[in-house]
Amino acid sequence: MGKPHIVDTFSTELSLTKQFLSLKDLTLNTDHTLLQGNIKFNLNDGSWADFADRVRWDMNISQGSQMSGYDISYFVTNWDNIKPFNLAGKMTGPLNKFHLENFLIRNPDVNIATKTMKVDNLLKGHFSIETKDLSTDFTYKDLKAMMPSFISSKMKNFADDFGKLKYNGTAKVNPDQIYVENGNLMTGIGQAKISKLTLTGYSTAMPKYSGYLDVKDLNTFVITKIKQ
């Protein structure tokens, strides 16, 4: 990004050993970010090396915190989206393999909340996301707009015309497939109660759907592109 990361306010009860760095009752305020809560970095044999894979986070972020990709890029150099977002909840694990509890991410256009979620290989391309309790309210275009390009480039345009996507249920997502075991979906093209739906190739020009849906007022043209 080429700009310095300026810290306006930093206060915490700090503990540093060869095993960890603990930031208790943290308030970190930069030009772009406000983090409040508790963060502990568990080092790998006393080392910060291979930060994304070997340094384990124990983080509990308070409501009202905001993060910007501008500051994320300081740690993850290929994070090229500076759009800020609010976040709160608990995260454990390294950046490339972590677990979320009672976690939410939102900005004025996107709202995502989950009681539990597992995220793997987020920074290495072939990511895997799994949750049994997901709640969303966004458009697909707005969701892509808040992602770094190494993620958004794989999401393509399959749901751009679906309008608002309000969903409650399970989800397993990787770059090749979205799988829903049970969920309720409201969109701009209709409503659906979903059981065992698999969407493959969603990052291609011709995604494929397979599963069971109980639909209401569904505009099939948006999916099939066939007027009849």
Side-chain angles (χ1 to χ4, degrees):
M1 302 254 175
K3 296 180 181 179
H5 293 70
I6 299 173
V7 177
D8 294 328
T9 303
F10 177 80
S11 65
T12 186
E13 180 182 325
L14 187 148
S15 298
L16 176 61
T17 72
K18 292 182 178 180
Q19 287 76 41
F20 65 83
L21 168 63
S22 174
L23 305 172
K24 189 176 180 181
D25 297 324
L26 170 70
T27 296
L28 173 64
N29 189 13
T30 74
D31 289 346
H32 311 277
T33 292
L34 172 62
L35 281 182
Q36 295 177 303
N38 301 302
I39 303 177
K40 184 178 181 181
F41 299 100
N42 298 282
L43 307 183
N44 175 41
D45 292 330
S47 172
W48 292 88
D50 202 3
F51 181 83
D53 290 298
R54 294 185 177 272
V55 176
R56 184 178 182 274
W57 296 50
D58 287 315
M59 180 174 72
N60 199 336
I61 298 300
S62 303
Q63 292 275 356
S65 294
Q66 175 179 287
M67 194 73 187
S68 169
Y70 188 102
D71 290 317
I72 294 175
S73 68
Y74 187 77
F75 301 98
V76 185
T77 55
N78 62 340
W79 194 287
D80 55 3
N81 190 330
I82 66 172
K83 192 171 184 177
F85 54 89
N86 295 102
L87 73 162
K90 186 176 181 181
M91 168 187 158
T92 55
L95 287 177
N96 250 336
K97 189 180 181 68
F98 58 86
H99 181 261
L100 302 177
E101 294 180 29
N102 298 317
F103 207 85
L104 66 86
I105 295 176
R106 66 162 62 105
N107 65 25
D109 304 308
V110 174
N111 195 326
I112 302 172
T114 181
K115 289 185 177 179
T116 61
M117 177 180 286
K118 296 178 181 179
V119 182
D120 196 6
N121 282 329
L122 182 64
L123 307 179
K124 293 186 174 181
H126 198 81
F127 60 87
S128 173
I129 300 171
E130 181 176 351
T131 175
K132 294 187 180 299
D133 195 335
L134 179 67
S135 175
T136 73
D137 185 355
F138 54 71
T139 71
Y140 197 63
K141 290 181 179 180
D142 288 333
L143 179 63
K144 290 187 293 183
M146 73 178 291
M147 297 292 180
S149 61
F150 65 83
I151 295 177
S152 62
S153 63
K154 295 178 172 63
M155 296 171 69
K156 302 302 181 182
N157 307 315
F158 86 99
D160 283 2
D161 298 327
F162 284 20
K164 275 283 187 179
L165 296 165
K166 295 183 178 182
Y167 175 75
N168 290 281
T170 68
K172 293 182 181 180
V173 183
N174 62 47
D176 306 312
Q177 176 179 283
I178 297 174
Y179 175 72
V180 173
E181 186 174 356
N182 184 41
N184 292 286
L185 176 66
M186 295 181 63
T187 77
I189 65 167
Q191 304 175 31
K193 181 175 178 59
I194 303 171
S195 58
K196 296 183 179 179
L197 173 69
T198 302
L199 170 61
T200 57
Y202 70 93
S203 59
T204 70
M206 188 63 69
K208 297 179 181 180
Y209 304 81
S210 174
Y212 301 92
L213 295 88
D214 182 3
V215 299
K216 180 180 180 181
D217 300 326
L218 180 64
N219 181 354
T220 57
F221 170 70
V222 174
I223 299 173
T224 66
K225 310 302 181 186
I226 300 172
K227 292 182 179 180
Q228 290 81 0

